[in-house]
Amino acid sequence: MSLGEDSKRDGFSSKFGIICAAAGSAIGLGNIWRFPYIVGENGGGAFLLIYLGFILLLGIPVMLSEFVIGRRGQRNAYGSFKRLSGSKYWPLVGLMGIVAAFTILAFYSTIAGWTLEYVYLALINAFKGLEAKEIGEVFDSFHTSAFRPILWQLVFMVFTAFIIVAGIKKGIEKYTKVLMPFLFLLLLIIVVRSVTLPNAGEGLKFLFSPDFSAITAKTFLEALGQAFFSLSIGMGTLITYGSYVNKKNKLPNISFEVSFTDTLIAILAGVAIFPAVFAFGMAPDEGAGLIFYVLPNIFQQMAGGYIFGLMFFILLSIAALTSSISILEVVVAFMVEELKLPRRKSTILAAMAATFVGLLCTLSFSSLSEVKLFNSTIFETLDFTASNVLLPLGGLMIVIFTGWFMGISNVKNEMSNDGLLKIRLFDAFIFIIRYIAPVAIVLVFLNSVGIL
Ligand code: PHE
């Protein structure tokens, strides 16, 4: 089952390119929009601890497993399972990833659309002189309207499709390489302003001092879902990207570096947000609007706030874009390789289908806000199902496949570049993906539905 590199396939050209593309996928709205509000709703520091535990114990091993499957399989998520397993059933995991991709892209583009509106608002200096309450009202009236959010969502999907049509080297790699380092720098500047606000200590205390009384079974599921969502794992994004990684690059190192950077950015986003939440007398459990309520206040209070605010929202949109392209690529790679459709046509079809579902998500804040499933809006249902169910389930199948069905020697060869690299902790890795990770994921599930 040793499959050589497929030289006709497009792929990344350098290690730096891979890191930027994979980190570009991982770092996105999940870090800056989703992480702070999920922490806010789940009690702060205690949630953070569980989250970090899941990243180390489950996130990194699942990520590495995805890279191993993709680079060995040299195909999209579906095709890699098909080639490596030779069975009809394993590719269904890839198919589930494609369903997850549509689901995530749909609600992701809603929020990405909001960030584009904020680029516009920052550009025209719309928040100038407004009180915190008025800044909140701007957001409320915007996201509960229909026309503008939809317009921006469409614009965002067009950008996403545009990059994907261009391919891997000339699309994904080219853009992420420039944009990711810039985002990091800007976030650091905002962190400095936020922690020097009056009363900042309270926010930092909320983020870093664990209050275990806030933990319930649901907290664990939320932390698991957030870890998977943030690392872009569990649906084959990194299987797909892994298939574009050169056989000389070191998969274990890439997995560590990407996971570390992703986690660092999420924590920095928390450090930027929570001091401001408390300084401006807001509540940390504002939900999906949290950053849109809070951040414009920080920019108001900082020297050069106009320019920093503008750059920040531009970069946030870009971070969203470098993630959304990785989601669309999962579907497009599948359509190109398995359905034999041309790349351009696949991109347009997939983007249109995702946009259609995406419109329902956007409208679930306005005209469809009363449409509910189990008491949740369309947006909330899709987010919950993808992040907390499909991704962990996909991750479970991915580690089971790698640990039990791929063959340990195949896994070792792929990780060590056919014995050229010394890999440390291989046995520990195998132990984790065979036993610890599957058991942990299943326990979190059973626990959250109340069976345990
Ligand atoms: N990791 C991305 C983020 O944090 C979202 C994402 C999820 C991307 C799943 C790809 C796959 O914003």
Side-chain angles (χ1 to χ4, degrees):
M1 204 177 42
S2 170
L3 305 167
E5 206 160 3
D6 194 338
S7 56
K8 286 196 302 293
R9 291 179 93 236
D10 193 1
F12 298 117
S13 63
S14 66
K15 156 116 195 254
F16 186 64
I18 298 159
I19 295 279
C20 286
S25 169
I27 298 164
L29 298 173
N31 306 59
I32 297 168
W33 157 72
R34 201 174 188 278
F35 178 78
Y37 93 76
I38 297 282
V39 173
E41 286 180 340
N42 288 281
F47 176 90
L48 181 63
L49 266 185
I50 303 173
Y51 176 78
L52 292 177
F54 282 161
I55 294 276
L56 270 180
L57 192 70
L58 305 174
I60 298 175
V62 174
M63 184 182 286
L64 183 50
S65 302
E66 283 203 31
F67 278 133
V68 165
I69 295 175
R71 195 172 67 174
R72 195 142 192 101
Q74 293 290 302
R75 287 285 181 279
N76 63 86
Y78 178 93
S80 288
F81 273 112
K82 193 164 95 187
R83 275 181 111 187
L84 295 178
S85 70
S87 109
K88 290 206 295 282
Y89 299 110
W90 282 108
L92 294 179
V93 180
L95 225 44
M96 187 171 86
I98 287 157
V99 173
F102 275 115
T103 316
I104 293 180
L105 200 51
F107 74 81
Y108 208 80
S109 57
T110 296
I111 309 297
W114 294 359
T115 68
L116 288 179
E117 165 83 3
Y118 272 62
V119 171
Y120 168 74
L121 293 177
L123 186 72
I124 63 168
N125 213 357
F127 299 112
K128 190 163 182 251
L130 298 191
E131 301 281 321
K133 194 166 145 284
E134 294 164 314
I135 288 179
E137 284 161 7
V138 171
F139 177 70
D140 287 337
S141 76
F142 162 70
H143 86 290
T144 54
S145 65
F147 177 70
R148 293 175 75 88
I150 288 182
L151 181 75
W152 288 122
Q153 178 172 36
L154 293 179
V155 171
F156 181 77
M157 288 302 281
V158 169
F159 283 142
T160 304
F162 176 79
I163 296 183
I164 286 305
V165 168
I168 311 306
K169 269 193 213 63
K170 297 208 183 90
I172 297 174
E173 180 169 353
K174 183 170 130 195
Y175 292 96
T176 50
K177 248 158 81 170
V178 192
L179 301 169
M180 296 319 293
F182 199 40
L183 176 75
F184 185 65
L185 198 71
L186 206 66
L187 190 56
L188 279 182
I189 296 173
I190 296 166
V191 162
V192 171
R193 172 65 268 204
S194 188
V195 296
T196 50
L197 286 169
N199 220 2
E202 218 181 313
L204 294 178
K205 209 167 106 205
F206 177 77
L207 181 61
F208 291 118
S209 62
D211 165 14
F212 291 102
S213 68
I215 293 184
T216 61
K218 205 179 135 260
T219 318
F220 285 89
L221 186 65
E222 288 284 354
L224 185 72
Q226 175 60 25
F228 277 53
F229 184 82
S230 190
L231 293 178
S232 302
I233 54 180
M235 59 171 244
T237 310
L238 299 178
I239 296 183
T240 311
Y241 273 20
S243 76
Y244 304 134
V245 173
N246 188 285
K247 288 277 184 190
K248 289 195 206 67
N249 292 112
K250 304 174 185 168
L251 298 180
N253 300 28
I254 296 173
S255 307
F256 271 110
E257 286 159 32
V258 171
S259 303
F260 177 81
T261 321
D262 185 69
T263 307
L264 183 67
I265 299 269
I267 292 177
L268 282 178
V271 174
I273 302 277
F274 289 112
V277 169
F278 288 92
F280 297 109
M282 287 178 241
D285 56 357
E286 248 352 303
L290 184 65
I291 64 165
F292 299 97
Y293 289 119
V294 175
L295 285 178
N297 288 294
I298 308 189
F299 300 125
Q300 286 261 47
Q301 300 271 327
M302 77 198 261
Y306 173 77
I307 196 73
F308 284 128
L310 181 60
M311 286 200 314
F312 179 79
F313 284 112
I314 293 177
L315 284 167
L316 184 58
S317 312
I318 290 166
L321 191 62
T322 59
S323 300
S324 66
I325 54 177
S326 74
I327 307 175
L328 187 58
E329 180 63 23
V330 172
V331 184
V332 170
F334 166 78
M335 292 171 79
V336 170
E337 289 176 344
E338 307 301 320
L339 310 180
K340 310 284 181 230
L341 291 170
R343 189 166 176 92
R344 172 181 287 270
K345 193 168 175 186
S346 306
T347 308
I348 295 172
L349 282 177
M352 275 173 42
T355 306
F356 178 74
V357 191
L359 292 181
L360 302 179
C361 289
T362 299
L363 291 177
S364 75
F365 291 94
S366 51
S367 45
L368 300 181
S369 64
E370 290 309 314
V371 180
K372 298 216 166 143
L373 218 85
F374 302 114
N375 228 356
S376 305
T377 61
I378 301 174
F379 179 94
E380 289 161 346
T381 308
L382 293 192
D383 183 353
F384 185 88
T385 313
S387 312
N388 296 354
V389 181
L390 295 179
L391 296 185
L393 203 61
L396 175 66
M397 300 316 283
I398 285 165
V399 284
I400 291 181
F401 181 73
T402 316
W404 296 96
F405 291 87
M406 228 182 115
I408 299 295
S409 63
N410 287 322
V411 176
K412 190 162 194 172
N413 282 340
E414 199 55 47
M415 269 171 72
S416 65
N417 299 358
D418 286 324
L420 284 177
L421 300 175
K422 249 180 77 119
I423 37 173
R424 279 173 300 161
L425 300 175
F426 182 74
D427 294 337
F429 170 71
I430 293 295
F431 186 73
I432 290 179
I433 62 169
R434 283 195 140 180
Y435 303 102
I436 310 250
V439 171
I441 296 174
V442 170
L443 284 183
V444 171
F445 263 123
L446 295 183
N447 192 16
S448 73
V449 289
I451 293 180
L452 270 181

